Amino acid sequence: MDRNSPPPAPRRKRLTPVDIAIFAAVAALVVYTGYRVNAVLVYHWNWPRVLNFVLRYDPETGRYVANLLLYGLATTLRLALWGTVLATVIGIVMGYWRTVDNLTLRILSRSYVELIRNIPPLVFIFIFYFFISSQIFPALGLDDLDAEGPLVDNWLFAVLFGDPALLSNFLAGVLCLAMFEGAYVTEIVRAGIQAVGRGQWEAARAIGLSRTNVLRDVIMPQALRKILPPLAGQFITLIKDSSIVSLISIQELTFAATEVSSTTTKVFETWILVGAMYFVLCYSFALLFGWLERRAARSRR
Amino acid sequence: MKILNSIKAMAVAVAVAASSVVATTAPASADSVLEDILKRGKLRVGMSTFVPWAMRDNEGNLIGFEIDVATKLAEDMGVEVEFVPTAWSGIIPALIAKKFDVIVGGMSITPQRNLTVNFTIPYAHSGQTMAANTELAGDFKDLADYNDSAVTLACRRGATPCNLAEKMFPKASIRRFDDDAQAFQEVANGNAHATIASAPKPEFTVEANPDILFMANGGEALSSNDEAFGLRKGDPDALNFFSNWIRVNTTNGWLQETHDYWFKGQTAWKDMVAPDQ
């Protein structure tokens, strides 16, 4: 090939017989597994009984209303949203500290990241909940929150925080998740800042910008662009990780599911359904973030 | 010199930490939780889902024996009741961390538990029964047959049936699950010979699956238990109040009547938890 000819056109992507055979084999395996499960498992399937806990028919109003599992899903979403906000704040502060010259700040942030990354989430959450968050909330007086007060008794509060009676419980969950996920966000932020070339710092300093200005106007905008895609991935991880706070009795989707499965004894329907709910939730966010990213890439050009 | 200093610093740190631990674990004052409840106007009850003690009806509301008990208790105190559903394995730490005032959770009195929490006098007496797989254990003659290394038993982790299984059938291998439902499923699948649980859960499950399960030991209880309210230590006033509430409601027959309603069979309340059946 001589160097003046145009590059060869990319090969058309199409399925060859080999690919079709592979897909067929995978499908056959899935079907066989499903068949085997039914043969091995002694179980009476009863989907309506569990689906009733997602939406139930209310004979009084003649409409379908949300039930336990949907409330759980709403709590999971709230946990994920607040958890992300807090984890981002923690992550940006700690992530910046990871890159500064001050040794104390670097030691602090490094210890935080290493501590959390090297303890199993289950262990961390149990310790955090009983030793730390149980000291904070009573001290703040959250346990005696007036449920009928004007600050609490409105729809906005209900949308943002859910049932006021469970507020301190919910906040404990948010705090646990944020502390936990914050460590990973810290590393994402650190990587983002460090990915901006050293030359950018030097050039910005050379034209006389102060350190704050360099960071705010030169480094952060560039770092942010690098940070956003992994941050989106972290958000989806956080939705999934929120299931571990069911251990400390936060009334989210997984906790609601344990209650439903032990009441109805319909274990498999419950967990398959809950698995599907998590999947739909996470995958729709993945699609949304993918779309946002493509849009951002287009507008940048 | 430097080493000495750092040792000194460490000793101080340890002393500070120890004194703060002591400060947090010792009762803050002589105040009884009763006063907190009355001041708050709300009794916070820790419980865990467990048929038919506490379960979810079709509308997602809590119903069951201990729900009735705690509701009446709050009514008699003139306060509202708030249920705090808690994972069973964390219910005692949650009580100690003041997440709620009292455990009304069908908790059996055991000496080990009593070392960390205080118990009232019992408000219910239940036995533990065993449901077994017909195919695997159908020809077992008596309980001694289950004490064999080839036998697998399933039970709920952290609950008294697991302790009982260990004690009665030391040779059998025991599989612990987080939840009753999983233990029962393991038996139904034929992966375990039998499961022990508080009555009447095994009876209800056998009723639902008569072709694969049967009641071991002819349905007789393997042991009997006393269930009581659990309270934080160092609060004699609350202990006295709750115990006497139980005494009053035992004498007037209310507890027995309510217990019979939930435990003597599912017919009275089956419609509340199972649609389309």
Side-chain angles (χ1 to χ4, degrees):
Chain A
M1 202 201 301
D2 76 295
R3 93 173 49 169
N4 292 326
S5 67
R11 281 208 318 181
R12 278 184 64 195
K13 287 176 192 148
R14 53 196 284 195
L15 294 175
T16 63
V18 178
D19 297 316
I20 291 168
I22 293 173
F23 279 126
V26 171
L29 197 70
V30 170
V31 170
Y32 177 72
T33 313
Y35 167 76
R36 283 296 297 164
V37 162
N38 242 334
V40 170
L41 210 64
V42 181
Y43 198 72
H44 305 298
W45 294 87
N46 185 354
W47 284 96
R49 191 152 173 209
V50 172
L51 286 170
N52 179 62
F53 279 101
V54 180
L55 282 177
R56 72 180 172 88
Y57 182 73
D58 187 359
E60 275 169 36
T61 56
R63 277 190 308 193
Y64 280 92
V65 291
N67 206 347
L68 215 56
L69 291 177
L70 266 194
Y71 290 131
L73 187 69
T75 307
T76 291
L77 259 177
R78 269 183 222 117
L79 278 176
L81 288 176
W82 287 113
T84 304
V85 169
L86 257 181
T88 309
V89 173
I90 296 174
I92 287 176
V93 172
M94 288 285 178
Y96 173 61
W97 285 5
R98 290 275 276 128
T99 65
V100 295
D101 293 332
N102 186 321
L103 188 61
T104 315
L105 295 182
R106 278 217 317 268
I107 291 175
L108 272 179
S109 52
R110 179 74 189 266
S111 316
Y112 164 68
V113 169
E114 297 302 348
L115 187 74
I116 284 175
R117 280 207 305 197
N118 296 299
I119 295 181
L122 217 76
V123 177
F124 169 76
I125 281 179
F126 207 77
I127 294 174
F128 185 83
Y129 180 65
F130 285 114
F131 293 124
I132 300 173
S133 83
S134 65
Q135 314 264 329
I136 299 172
F137 296 120
L140 292 177
L142 276 174
D143 288 347
D144 307 313
L145 195 76
D146 179 15
E148 265 94 52
L151 203 69
V152 173
D153 196 15
N154 58 50
W155 64 269
L156 188 66
F157 186 91
V159 168
L160 292 178
F161 301 106
D163 187 355
L166 294 173
L167 181 68
S168 70
N169 186 291
F170 172 75
L171 288 181
V174 168
L175 214 59
C176 280
L177 267 181
M179 286 290 290
F180 180 69
E181 299 292 332
Y184 296 91
V185 179
T186 299
E187 283 302 275
I188 292 174
V189 171
R190 178 193 60 80
I193 292 174
Q194 286 177 345
V196 179
R198 201 73 216 161
Q200 297 282 323
W201 281 95
E202 285 158 8
R205 291 292 280 167
I207 57 170
L209 291 177
S210 74
R211 226 191 120 75
T212 332
N213 276 345
V214 174
L215 199 70
R216 198 187 64 201
D217 301 330
V218 179
I219 305 302
M220 269 310 182
Q222 297 184 67
L224 217 58
R225 205 170 283 174
K226 295 182 203 303
I227 287 169
L228 283 178
L231 213 56
Q234 196 60 38
F235 175 72
I236 289 167
T237 309
L238 196 139
I239 297 178
K240 287 185 294 171
D241 284 352
S242 71
S243 70
I244 46 178
V245 297
S246 67
L247 175 84
I248 50 172
S249 310
I250 314 296
Q251 320 286 305
E252 43 70 79
L253 184 54
T254 301
F255 190 83
T258 53
E259 294 209 306
V260 169
S261 82
S262 66
T263 295
T264 60
T265 68
K266 297 288 133 196
V267 190
F268 298 110
E269 289 91 335
T270 312
W271 291 111
I272 291 171
L273 183 71
V274 167
M277 286 166 85
Y278 273 113
F279 179 81
V280 169
L281 188 64
C282 292
Y283 196 59
S284 18
F285 274 112
L287 291 178
L288 176 74
F289 291 138
W291 179 76
L292 285 175
E293 226 168 275
R294 277 195 305 279
R295 255 186 61 125
R298 217 180 307 138
S299 65
R300 205 173 300 150
R301 240 177 262 135
Chain B
M1 221 27 217
K2 218 170 179 189
I3 294 170
L4 244 176
N5 273 339
S6 61
I7 288 173
K8 229 194 256 170
M10 261 166 68
V12 170
V14 168
V16 169
S19 61
S20 66
V21 166
V22 169
T24 49
T25 49
S29 64
D31 278 356
S32 168
V33 73
L34 283 179
E35 275 147 47
D36 292 344
I37 296 167
L38 293 175
K39 211 187 294 165
R40 200 192 302 129
K42 202 187 273 172
L43 172 71
R44 277 202 291 240
V45 177
M47 37 72 61
S48 185
T49 309
F50 199 45
V51 178
W53 296 86
M55 51 201 167
R56 296 285 184 171
D57 69 5
N58 294 326
E59 296 174 15
N61 300 318
L62 287 163
I63 55 165
F65 174 62
E66 69 199 30
I67 304 301
D68 284 358
V69 169
T71 307
K72 179 155 196 303
L73 172 66
E75 233 169 67
D76 291 350
M77 289 179 82
V79 295
E80 279 175 52
V81 66
E82 180 186 317
F83 291 100
V84 186
T86 307
W88 185 251
S89 47
I91 203 162
I92 288 179
L95 173 77
I96 292 167
K98 300 195 177 176
K99 302 286 175 194
F100 39 77
D101 306 316
V102 56
I103 298 174
V104 184
M107 185 176 269
S108 306
I109 301 175
T110 66
Q112 288 92 336
R113 280 181 186 152
N114 214 165
L115 291 172
T116 34
V117 296
N118 278 353
F119 283 115
T120 60
I121 63 167
Y123 70 108
H125 307 273
S126 73
Q128 285 166 21
T129 50
M130 184 154 77
N133 185 297
T134 314
E135 206 175 301
L136 293 176
D139 52 352
F140 284 16
K141 290 199 181 55
D142 53 31
L143 282 180
D145 290 338
Y146 290 92
N147 190 20
D148 189 290
S149 56
V151 169
T152 308
L153 300 174
C155 59
R156 186 190 197 187
R157 190 169 63 196
T160 36
C162 264
N163 303 341
L164 183 72
E166 256 172 19
K167 208 178 68 194
M168 285 186 73
F169 312 109
K171 285 189 195 148
S173 54
I174 294 172
R175 280 195 206 157
R176 293 172 177 79
F177 293 92
D178 213 29
D179 193 86
D180 260 352
Q182 289 153 325
F184 280 97
Q185 186 60 43
E186 200 71 350
V187 178
N189 285 354
N191 295 330
H193 290 69
T195 179
I196 302 174
S198 291
K201 183 84 197 273
E203 284 86 339
F204 290 174
T205 318
V206 168
E207 229 171 79
N209 307 281
D211 43 337
I212 33 175
L213 299 177
F214 73 101
M215 290 303 296
N217 203 21
E220 288 296 305
L222 308 188
S223 82
S224 45
N225 289 325
D226 294 319
E227 282 83 24
F229 300 175
L231 285 159
R232 280 186 291 277
K233 290 204 157 282
D235 193 347
D237 292 351
L239 198 61
N240 181 266
F241 175 82
F242 288 125
S243 285
N244 283 323
W245 183 88
I246 292 167
R247 194 164 285 131
V248 168
N249 286 285
T250 305
T251 310
N252 68 18
W254 185 86
L255 275 171
Q256 189 59 50
E257 207 178 288
T258 313
H259 192 268
D260 286 349
Y261 175 82
W262 293 104
F263 285 78
K264 277 274 164 70
Q266 303 176 71
T267 39
W269 46 268
K270 185 86 176 149
D271 289 349
M272 294 162 85
V273 291
D276 317 308
Q277 273 182 352

